[in-house]
Amino acid sequence: MFFQQIFEEKLAQYAYLIGCQRSGEAIIIDPMRDVDRYKELARKNNLKLVAAAETHIHADYLSGLRELAEQGLKVYASDEGDEDWKYEWLIDSDYDHKLLKDGDEFSIGNIKFTTVYSPGHTPEHVSYLVTDGAATDEPMGILSGDFVFVGDVGRPDLLESAAGQKGAMKNSAKILYQSLQRFKEMPEYLQLWPGHGAGSACGKALGAVPESTVGYEQRFNGSIRAAISEQEFVDYILDGQPEPPLYFSRMKRDNKKGPKVLGEMPHPEHISIEKMIGDVRLSNAVIVDTRNRTEFMNKHIQGALLSPMNKQFNTIVGSYVKEDEDIYLIIDQDKVEDAVKDLVRVGLDNVKGYATPDQLEEFSKKGGELFITETIDFEKAEEYLAKGEANILDVRKKSEFDAGHHPEAKNIAHTRLLDRLEEVPNNKPVMVHCKSGARASAASAMLERADFAVKYIDDMVEPWLEKNNWTTAEAN
């Protein structure tokens, strides 16, 4: 049996390539949309990718299941859950596929997969027990998807908080509690292979260790240990969940109805700054500047968004760019390919062109018009507030805000800001802050694009809150 976990750092996502070395066949579990890498990995290990399976309808990235179905691979997906959460693009389709119920089995060579219905994170969620039939008839591990993570379980609120299904989260939490009772009865020796790791927004306390065992999680997983009673678990699991990025609702919709077939990756054109500015003015387009926040605030194209090429790139751009907008990048040439992959993974395919930071600097030297965002610290912010010359916006998570905040601050998490612009006061300039300045820098750029007068606070908030006794007892 061949087994390889494939980690995508920016989305903290795990896919799994599993193959039978006797038959030379392999399957990919929970693939992302840029599928060629999985086929190449299989080839390098003398395997042929013949199938793909998914644990559930994902919210944090666009699935590669349809892409592989279009290429002729057999695909496996859940047929569990209610009628509102089915794989609509697979039902009655001509794709080679099998829709699975609890207990259904399928094989890739000697490797057997047994479907385990595990709802709660989503209504249709399934996990897969994996058995190496060449050695035993007992399973060796479970591909748990977003059911059980290392140190946490999949959040049950997304149908309501991301997909807009009002009143769904408490019932989903109760269903997840019941699923965990079944998990507690599984053999302790089973290896546990989760769908996400630390940094994912699909839970609130995911561990960074890439795999675990069922027994370890039964004993030490905080969310499972909280499942003493249904009500205790519901209260625990719904408390403090981070606001889901805005693009999650779009991913849910597209993965359910069927992602657009990509075919090949976008190839943005290398263009001049002048052409970029002209194209953006004449079309439904946005510039995404990937430089660091200091460089951006000191000199940027008017209306450009800021999203450095770090772990938050997908999340920021996915939350600030609409699906029908063309995208132009300010980016180092050697990072263009990675940026395109990141954008495609969250369904942003219209990457039209790019220019480099050196081109932007040359444009400035030639007298091209660039803009500055006023950057201040909290001492200066206090002066503006004392004079009544500015409002203050806190773009941290609600759980951070609740642990301590300025009494006059408005709180909107940075990944939900585009959908709540009407709540941002615009009678005065708005001072934007987060914990360290990173999230606030992206939010400041987005607000400027929406024609707000912005003062960006590049400072650490916690010392300021503590100095003024604006933290709660729990935070201390």
Side-chain angles (χ1 to χ4, degrees):
M1 173 177 166
F2 175 86
F3 180 97
Q4 185 160 336
Q5 184 186 66
I6 304 160
F7 183 54
E8 162 45 41
E9 184 178 27
K10 290 190 181 73
L11 293 170
Q13 186 262 357
Y14 296 120
Y16 295 88
L17 184 68
I18 300 175
C20 173
Q21 291 160 318
R22 180 191 62 80
S23 70
E25 298 171 310
I27 185 171
I28 186 72
I29 310 294
D30 285 336
M32 285 187 172
R33 198 171 172 217
D34 49 319
V35 299
D36 286 349
R37 56 182 171 146
Y38 306 125
K39 297 167 73 174
E40 177 63 17
L41 181 59
R43 187 194 63 77
K44 285 183 178 179
N45 288 279
N46 299 312
L47 296 167
K48 181 181 179 181
L49 193 61
V50 298
E54 198 157 76
T55 53
H56 65 292
I57 297 171
H58 296 284
D60 56 318
Y61 64 90
L62 210 55
S63 166
L65 203 64
R66 186 177 187 183
E67 203 74 29
L68 290 167
E70 187 74 16
Q71 295 179 18
L73 276 69
K74 184 162 187 175
V75 298
Y76 299 88
S78 172
D79 195 28
E80 292 283 8
D82 58 51
E83 292 303 315
D84 291 332
W85 289 102
K86 298 289 187 181
Y87 283 81
E88 294 179 9
W89 63 274
L90 269 179
I91 298 171
D92 298 325
S93 77
D94 293 330
Y95 293 125
D96 186 4
H97 71 282
K98 183 177 180 180
L99 293 171
L100 303 167
K101 297 283 191 181
D102 185 49
D104 284 350
E105 297 179 351
F106 62 92
S107 295
I108 304 297
N110 283 329
I111 314 301
K112 183 175 75 174
F113 298 83
T114 304
T115 308
V116 179
Y117 185 37
S118 45
H121 174 67
T122 62
E124 80 294 340
H125 194 291
V126 295
S127 304
Y128 299 107
L129 293 170
V130 181
T131 302
D132 184 357
T136 179
D137 59 358
E138 296 290 333
M140 65 183 299
I142 183 169
L143 295 156
S144 59
D146 287 19
F147 171 36
V148 176
F149 301 123
V150 177
D152 202 359
V153 298
R155 57 191 296 181
D157 64 296
L158 287 180
L159 285 187
E160 183 168 344
S161 59
Q165 192 170 315
K166 297 295 184 184
M169 67 172 68
K170 286 189 177 180
N171 188 56
S172 294
K174 291 177 181 179
I175 292 170
L176 181 57
Y177 172 81
Q178 295 301 324
S179 295
L180 289 173
Q181 305 316 301
R182 185 177 182 183
F183 180 82
K184 290 178 179 180
E185 297 173 356
M186 289 183 180
E188 293 186 4
Y189 70 83
L190 286 175
Q191 296 180 66
L192 183 132
W193 304 307
H196 289 286
S200 169
C202 290
K204 60 180 178 179
L206 282 72
V209 177
E211 59 186 55
S212 184
T213 65
V214 167
Y216 190 89
E217 297 308 312
Q218 287 170 347
R219 285 171 169 77
F220 303 113
N221 186 305
S223 295
I224 294 175
R225 292 176 68 183
I228 299 169
S229 71
E230 181 180 83
Q231 190 57 54
E232 286 178 287
F233 176 74
V234 169
D235 292 342
Y236 175 87
I237 201 64
L238 294 180
D239 180 53
Q241 289 288 0
E243 292 86 342
L246 193 59
Y247 76 94
F248 271 29
S249 62
R250 182 165 50 84
M251 297 298 94
K252 275 287 188 187
R253 180 202 70 195
D254 289 352
N255 284 327
K256 173 185 167 185
K257 294 183 177 296
K260 185 178 77 174
V261 176
L262 183 61
E264 63 177 31
M265 299 293 287
H267 297 286
E269 180 185 2
H270 190 177
I271 61 176
S272 68
I273 296 294
E274 291 85 354
K275 177 172 172 53
M276 180 180 292
I277 293 172
D279 286 353
V280 169
R281 285 175 179 168
L282 294 173
S283 62
N284 182 31
V286 59
I287 295 169
V288 177
D289 193 325
T290 66
R291 295 175 300 154
N292 68 55
R293 66 200 203 216
T294 301
E295 291 173 328
F296 179 89
M297 296 303 172
N298 288 337
K299 194 181 297 183
H300 60 267
I301 298 170
Q302 186 178 28
L305 296 176
L306 169 64
S307 187
M309 282 290 292
N310 56 30
K311 291 181 181 180
Q312 291 296 304
F313 181 74
N314 311 64
T315 299
I316 295 295
V317 184
S319 296
Y320 289 173
V321 175
K322 298 176 182 177
E323 61 186 312
D324 61 343
E325 290 180 311
D326 291 340
I327 298 173
Y328 293 83
L329 300 168
I330 301 294
I331 191 169
D332 291 323
Q333 192 155 3
D334 62 354
K335 296 179 180 177
V336 172
E337 185 177 347
D338 285 343
V340 170
K341 288 178 183 177
D342 289 337
L343 295 171
V344 161
R345 288 167 182 168
V346 293
L348 297 174
D349 302 348
N350 303 325
V351 192
K352 298 299 184 182
Y354 74 94
T356 67
D358 287 344
Q359 287 177 262
L360 190 67
E361 184 63 32
E362 189 63 28
F363 174 79
S364 176
K365 288 178 180 177
K366 292 180 178 178
E369 186 178 21
L370 296 177
F371 291 80
I372 298 171
T373 300
E374 183 181 355
T375 301
I376 61 175
D377 57 18
F378 280 111
E379 183 177 352
K380 187 66 176 179
E382 286 193 58
E383 293 179 15
Y384 281 124
L385 287 169
K387 296 176 182 177
E389 295 178 351
N391 297 308
I392 185 165
L393 177 67
D394 185 336
V395 296
R396 295 177 297 160
K397 295 180 289 187
K398 182 179 183 299
S399 58
E400 296 173 281
F401 182 81
D402 289 345
H405 58 268
H406 187 279
E408 298 175 27
K410 173 72 177 179
N411 175 229
I412 304 174
H414 74 298
T415 58
R416 307 297 298 181
L417 190 54
L418 182 62
D419 201 38
R420 298 175 60 184
L421 285 174
E422 72 282 355
E423 299 176 39
V424 180
N426 60 6
N427 59 320
K428 305 173 188 176
V430 58
M431 302 183 297
V432 187
H433 83 84
C434 59
K435 180 179 180 179
S436 66
R439 288 170 284 179
S441 64
S444 294
M446 198 274 281
L447 287 168
E448 280 190 332
R449 183 169 186 257
D451 294 326
F452 285 84
V454 171
K455 300 179 187 297
Y456 160 57
I457 302 177
D458 187 11
D459 201 355
M460 301 296 294
V461 74
E462 289 172 354
W464 182 61
L465 296 176
E466 290 170 1
K467 180 189 74 172
N468 290 284
N469 295 315
W470 289 325
T471 56
T472 65
E474 291 80 4
N476 293 324

